[in-house]
Amino acid sequence: MKPTILICTPETAYFQKIAHTLSFFGQDSFVHLKTPDELLASENLGAPAACLIDARGADLTTLEWTQSVRMAFEKAVIIVLHQADTVPDVDVLKKNGANYLMHAHFDAEFIVDLLLEETHWDFGSDVPLTALQSIEAQDLPGGVALEFPVFVHLPHNGKTIQLRRKGDQLSEQIHEKASHLGQSVYFKKTDRGAVLTHLEKMQKPAEGAAGFSGTIGAIRAKRIFFESMAEFFDASSSYQSGKNIFENTRKIVGDLGLLGERPVSWWRDLILKRAGHERSFYDEALSLAHFAAAFGHLAKLPAADIEALALAGLLHNIGLSKVGGYVLGQDPSALSDEQQRLYRSYPAASSAMIKNKKVALPAAVNDIILQHRERPDGTGFPSGLTKDKLHPLTPMFHIAYRFQELTSIDGSGREKRTVIGALELMKEGALNGKEPLELGKVALLLKALKD
């Protein structure tokens, strides 16, 4: 029998929204339950793989739902969905059977990843791109038997095909051909454990890379990142919570290889591989950490400054969790008056959430986060600061932020720029006054990536 996912909410519109977000599981995979009584009265639910509970009201019904589902389905993964201003009691819900509490909007991509990881969902031969994660070329040497299947995605028809089965060998020619066509090689997210084991066994120090595996770093970093961000949505405030966030975010920066001394070619390759991602709250934070750190290295900044830029990238947008319904790339003028007010204050909200958790960040990191949407002419937000009031590292972060906007994919219909095309556009804009960026820094980065 095909597994099902229960979605427990009194609102049909909210059920449809969640089902649409998870549509690649198949619309016939979802069962809508409006009350806990419906759960008890329903028959033929089988053994649901997971249950998503609407906790936006943060009331006793959430607890009733959690208890009822856990009693009825001992092995089901229970994910309680909240929003930033209505966070239920984490400890109480977990004691009563909830596995995870997640922000209904901000955590959307991790809801998907957790469902894949916890349910081991089998898509058969037609695996959607959302269920795959890219693997770096240097992590798949030719002539070695794979311990997991690998795939390629064909963007012209939206199909994903299996490139090699478990036990097959992946020749270097095939990998080079895929890379030449601008395609990545992927593994199933449900195979992450096997992938980590395989890569750790095969890993050899590569020249100029200090033994760093980008795929291993990305797998570990993303999981740690979710755990760190979840701390922000726990209403309690403690020294230990702040310590966890600080230590974890520093570990992420290290796992991603962003602090080591490497040749310019390494940073060029990293920027090329990271550019062009679809925009989402978590991926945007990870990408901005990559770009800000890489640009810092290319500009030969001190190590402490590079770490500050990377940490600011990871934490800059947590305040967007306060802006209900906002989608990255959306024109802010289309938001309601209240949403616009929250949007224009999100850098301050990010800073406040960090301070509430007592995260002992260097002062530079907090300054960059507060100022990353300011403009040198004073027309930015949240405070309208002018150039003379900005931290010395903020202009470099502005460049990384704008670069990400131009090279990423979103639903706005905006043309995605190449790495060089984006920097050339930024240089031209800075030269004619249309881009609030420091011309000298943009020109330096463009030269470093062109040479």
Side-chain angles (χ1 to χ4, degrees):
M1 179 183 292
K2 186 176 180 179
T4 57
I5 296 174
L6 305 182
I7 302 178
C8 306
T9 175
E11 299 178 12
T12 299
Y14 193 66
F15 164 77
Q16 292 172 341
K17 179 179 179 180
I18 299 299
H20 177 72
T21 300
L22 305 175
S23 59
F24 63 89
F25 283 108
Q27 290 297 328
D28 59 343
S29 300
F30 307 115
V31 176
H32 182 197
L33 296 174
K34 294 185 176 182
T35 68
D37 289 339
E38 279 191 17
L39 171 65
L40 301 175
S42 297
E43 298 179 358
N44 302 320
L45 288 177
C51 176
L52 305 178
I53 296 175
D54 178 4
R56 291 173 301 156
D59 54 19
L60 290 175
T61 305
T62 304
L63 180 58
E64 185 180 355
W65 266 122
T66 304
Q67 292 171 331
S68 300
V69 173
R70 181 54 69 220
M71 285 190 292
F73 306 109
E74 182 181 353
K75 295 183 179 180
V77 178
I78 298 177
I79 301 176
V80 177
L81 303 177
H82 65 86
Q83 55 192 32
D85 56 347
T86 56
V87 182
D89 191 308
V90 177
D91 292 335
V92 169
L93 287 173
K94 287 194 172 183
K95 286 177 182 176
N96 283 274
N99 298 95
Y100 302 96
L101 272 77
M102 308 191 75
H103 190 286
H105 183 54
F106 195 85
D107 284 339
E109 67 191 278
F110 272 98
I111 295 170
V112 170
D113 281 9
L114 274 176
L115 286 172
L116 291 170
E117 181 177 336
E118 296 286 356
T119 65
H120 302 286
W121 200 277
D122 185 4
F123 293 97
S125 59
D126 189 17
V127 184
L129 183 60
T130 310
L132 300 174
Q133 182 168 334
S134 63
I135 186 167
E136 296 194 6
Q138 64 266 32
D139 289 336
L140 284 177
V144 177
L146 296 167
E147 296 181 19
F148 47 89
V150 293
F151 304 78
V152 291
H153 181 67
L154 307 177
H156 65 280
N157 61 10
K159 290 188 177 294
T160 300
I161 61 172
Q162 184 170 287
L163 183 64
R164 287 292 183 268
R165 296 171 298 179
K166 179 180 178 180
D168 290 345
Q169 294 183 2
L170 187 68
S171 71
E172 293 181 5
Q173 291 83 358
I174 290 176
H175 213 311
E176 288 173 1
K177 184 177 181 180
S179 299
H180 179 72
L181 294 173
Q183 297 170 342
S184 295
V185 175
Y186 300 87
F187 62 88
K188 291 189 292 186
K189 290 178 179 177
T190 51
D191 286 336
R192 277 178 179 152
V195 173
L196 276 174
T197 299
H198 179 80
L199 294 183
E200 287 169 348
K201 182 171 60 179
M202 295 303 303
Q203 187 175 354
K204 296 178 181 178
E207 183 178 354
F212 171 72
S213 163
T215 307
I216 291 176
I219 293 172
R220 289 176 174 166
K222 198 168 185 182
R223 180 64 187 221
I224 297 171
F225 193 29
F226 161 66
E227 292 172 354
S228 298
M229 295 303 99
E231 296 267 9
F232 285 110
F233 299 127
D234 182 344
S236 63
S237 178
S238 69
Y239 167 78
Q240 187 58 47
S241 182
K243 182 180 179 184
N244 291 342
I245 294 170
F246 182 53
E247 291 179 350
N248 284 342
T249 48
R250 292 193 75 193
K251 178 171 173 48
I252 290 167
V253 171
D255 282 348
L256 292 174
L258 300 180
L259 301 181
E261 291 294 330
R262 309 184 196 282
V264 170
S265 60
W266 196 93
W267 297 111
R268 184 186 298 118
D269 289 345
L270 179 139
I271 292 168
L272 287 169
K273 285 183 290 189
R274 194 71 203 183
H277 282 213
E278 290 189 63
R279 296 184 76 178
S280 64
F281 296 115
Y282 280 90
D283 200 81
E284 178 131 317
L286 287 165
S287 291
L288 196 47
H290 280 81
F291 297 143
F295 289 170
H297 280 284
L298 294 176
K300 302 187 184 305
L301 296 181
D305 288 354
I306 292 170
E307 183 179 42
L309 287 166
L311 290 173
L314 288 178
L315 297 171
H316 79 285
N317 66 0
I318 187 66
L320 283 173
S321 62
K322 304 284 188 182
V323 191
Y326 173 70
V327 177
L328 288 167
Q330 179 181 6
D331 182 355
S333 66
L335 300 172
S336 69
D337 290 345
E338 176 61 12
Q339 285 176 313
Q340 288 189 47
R341 183 188 68 79
L342 292 170
Y343 176 77
R344 291 185 64 82
S345 64
Y346 88 78
S350 295
S351 175
M353 292 172 75
I354 291 167
K355 289 180 178 178
N356 180 60
K357 283 295 174 183
K358 300 179 172 60
V359 185
L361 292 173
V365 179
N366 187 63
D367 286 345
I368 297 168
I369 291 171
L370 271 172
Q371 299 167 8
H372 78 273
R373 300 306 303 272
E374 301 287 359
R375 296 168 68 98
D377 61 1
T379 61
F381 61 87
S383 301
L385 300 181
T386 50
K387 181 178 180 179
D388 59 308
K389 300 292 195 306
L390 299 179
H391 188 281
L393 290 176
T394 297
M396 183 63 77
F397 198 83
H398 283 162
I399 293 171
Y401 187 92
R402 181 60 175 147
F403 176 83
Q404 174 161 267
E405 283 187 323
L406 291 170
T407 59
S408 62
I409 301 170
D410 58 35
S412 67
R414 170 189 50 79
E415 177 187 358
K416 178 181 76 68
R417 301 279 178 168
T418 64
V419 168
I420 298 301
L423 285 167
E424 286 179 338
L425 181 68
M426 292 160 65
K427 180 182 176 182
E428 181 183 348
L431 191 61
N432 60 31
K434 292 183 178 180
E435 292 275 6
L437 305 169
E438 287 195 11
L439 177 60
K441 288 184 171 63
V442 176
L444 181 153
L445 295 172
L446 181 58
K447 183 177 186 303
L449 290 173
K450 271 188 167 182
D451 287 349

